[in-house]
Amino acid sequence: MISLLVSLVWLFGSYPTAQPKPDDPVVAFIRANPERSAVMLVRNDTTLVSLRADQLFPLASTVKIMVAIEFARQAAAGKIRADELVLLSDIDRYYLPNTDGGAQPAWKAELTARQAIQNGRVTLLDVAKGMIRYSSNANTEYLTDRLGFRAVNANRRILKLPKHEPVLPMVAPLLLYSTIDKAATLARLRAMKSRDYEAQSMALHAQLKADADSSLRKQFIFPDLELQKVWSDRLTASTAREYTSIMQKLNRRVYFEPAVQTLLDQIMEWPFAVNPGNRQVYEHIGMKGGSTAFVLTNALYATDKAGNRSELVVFFNNLTPGENALLQKNLNTFLINCIQTPRYRPTVQALLR
């Protein structure tokens, strides 16, 4: 069974003695498949690479950065309390098994290991951290509902993201694809207008929230790849340029109020926890990736010990299973090659060749 939406938890590192391969598989794919790829790389405010940076791509889990930003804004403003304890059972109402690459069980295992669960409750900050580090879809739905979809989407205007599509539920729309009548479902959903799709997604989101006995979850039928493709294509989309601008705001550390920035650091800079060796190389590093069977996305920012700032966004769409596996296997090395001195130079030259 293929999970529908998974996290990209890269074990980022420095690898100081390694040298980038001249035949980097990710570079080769981008050059051979320009219509299915987008890359934007900025270093110290200078754009080094901009390939199809204004083309819309489904974001998959990378869209969760928008929820993290609104969480930090509201927590810093006192509209919510980051240390508020909330029921795990309320979050689990949005969880559909096998649709998140094991993110929810992995997050709960980490909570258990550090004894962060108190009488079946966890803090809102832990929910936000799990949304980014583990890419929990259920955490995302819960938080977006608490913050308000309208408030989350207001950041498209605040952050000046004119092409960014509305942030919608991720989990609830899957129920539209839970069917034994595949042909009729495909025809109906392919013909459905965006406005109607959004309305039905929000209605199903409300049903999941109220589904105390998990009846909807128990009735869920895992969609096949053809159905998944329609779902994937209708995920919120944006551009590499817009997400690079978000990464720059996070990395420059002057756009957000200090209290907001502090919370975002705690949520976004999980690579320090996953690989403590990153602290020897970076002052700051934050990232969020996502994928479906057809999509692979990643957005990151980094400031190294010498003060060099890098922002990098890479989007892929319409991938085959083999292509997706190849890119996921090699993406971490590609990201490192793009942002680390002096390794970024040959990688950039190869991309622009």
Side-chain angles (χ1 to χ4, degrees), residues 7 9 12 14 35 62 103 108 111 147 149 198 210 246 254 272-273 280 314 352:
S7 169
V9 181
F12 218 77
S14 58
E35 75 287 353
T62 299
K108 287 184 176 181
L111 291 173
L147 301 169
F149 280 88
E198 292 178 18
I246 297 172
V254 294
F272 286 130
Q280 300 175 19
V314 188
L352 298 178

Side-chain angles (χ1 to χ4, degrees), residues 1 15 30 33 44-45 65-66 70 76 89 114-116 131 137 153 157-158 233 260 265-266 283 296 317 331:
M1 185 177 290
Y15 308 105
I30 292 167
N33 300 275
N44 295 328
D45 298 326
I65 295 169
M66 295 288 281
E70 182 58 23
S89 58
R114 59 184 177 86
Q115 299 180 329
M131 173 182 68
N137 297 338
N153 277 304
R157 172 184 54 80
I158 295 168
D233 286 343
V260 177
D265 287 351
Q266 294 179 60
E283 288 294 330
L296 186 62
N317 192 19
L331 189 57

Side-chain angles (χ1 to χ4, degrees), residues 11-318:
L11 298 183
F12 218 77
S14 58
Y15 308 105
T17 61
Q19 293 297 320
K21 296 180 180 179
D23 56 343
D24 185 303
V26 178
V27 172
F29 182 89
I30 292 167
R31 294 180 62 196
N33 300 275
E35 75 287 353
R36 295 189 285 154
S37 311
V39 183
M40 191 159 185
L41 171 62
V42 178
R43 186 173 176 84
N44 295 328
D45 298 326
T46 298
T47 299
L48 301 180
V49 178
S50 180
L51 304 175
R52 289 157 298 281
D54 296 308
Q55 180 178 327
L56 285 170
F57 280 76
L59 293 165
S61 286
T62 299
V63 75
K64 295 170 184 177
I65 295 169
M66 295 288 281
V67 183
I69 289 171
E70 182 58 23
F71 172 86
R73 286 186 186 278
Q74 291 196 23
K79 295 180 180 179
I80 59 171
R81 284 181 29 239
D83 63 352
E84 178 189 345
L85 290 169
V86 298
L87 285 168
L88 279 170
S89 58
D90 286 346
I91 298 169
D92 284 341
R93 294 187 186 190
Y94 300 106
Y95 175 60
L96 294 179
N98 302 311
T99 62
D100 68 353
Q104 200 71 2
W107 174 60
K108 287 184 176 181
E110 188 251 328
L111 291 173
T112 300
R114 59 184 177 86
Q115 299 180 329
I117 302 173
Q118 304 178 38
N119 298 318
R121 298 173 184 266
V122 296
T123 67
L124 278 177
L125 181 57
D126 272 327
V127 177
K129 288 181 176 180
M131 173 182 68
I132 297 298
R133 174 174 172 177
Y134 292 97
S135 206
S136 163
N137 297 338
N139 289 18
T140 307
E141 305 294 74
Y142 177 84
L143 280 178
T144 312
D145 189 83
R146 281 290 307 268
L147 301 169
F149 280 88
R150 181 174 296 180
V152 171
N153 277 304
N155 285 288
R156 293 184 298 150
R157 172 184 54 80
I158 295 168
L159 298 173
K160 297 182 179 179
L161 311 173
K163 289 193 172 185
H164 200 301
E165 293 180 349
V167 178
L168 297 174
M170 286 184 164
V171 176
L174 288 171
L175 297 172
L176 294 171
Y177 301 85
S178 174
T179 181
I180 58 173
D181 191 351
K182 175 181 169 180
T185 299
L186 282 171
R188 177 173 56 85
L189 289 171
R190 284 171 174 161
M192 188 178 293
K193 295 180 179 179
S194 295
R195 180 174 56 189
D196 295 332
Y197 189 85
E198 292 178 18
Q200 291 198 29
S201 296
M202 292 303 299
L204 286 166
H205 175 82
Q207 291 179 41
L208 279 174
K209 181 179 179 180
D211 191 26
D213 62 357
S214 300
S215 58
L216 284 174
R217 183 167 62 182
K218 293 172 183 175
Q219 296 167 16
F220 177 66
I221 300 171
F222 197 92
D224 68 12
L225 280 175
E226 192 172 8
L227 286 162
Q228 288 182 42
K229 183 64 169 74
V230 180
W231 167 79
S232 179
D233 286 343
R234 300 199 80 148
L235 291 171
T236 298
S238 185
T239 69
R241 189 181 307 280
E242 290 191 330
Y243 269 73
T244 300
S245 75
I246 297 172
M247 295 299 98
Q248 288 178 300
K249 290 177 174 64
L250 290 166
N251 206 16
R252 289 172 180 166
R253 315 184 64 76
V254 294
Y255 178 84
F256 296 105
E257 294 292 328
V260 177
Q261 185 73 55
T262 297
L263 284 163
L264 286 169
D265 287 351
Q266 294 179 60
I267 297 166
M268 292 295 300
E269 298 192 356
W270 58 266
F272 286 130
V274 173
N275 187 344
N278 283 323
R279 294 194 180 277
Q280 300 175 19
V281 183
Y282 305 104
E283 288 294 330
H284 296 283
I285 181 167
M287 61 196 305
K288 182 73 195 85
S291 75
T292 70
F294 317 95
V295 170
L296 186 62
T297 60
N298 194 279
L300 75 85
Y301 66 89
T303 300
D304 65 22
K305 290 292 186 178
N308 294 301
R309 286 184 286 105
S310 299
E311 296 86 31
L312 173 63
V313 175
V314 188
F315 290 165
F316 301 103
N317 192 19
N318 296 318

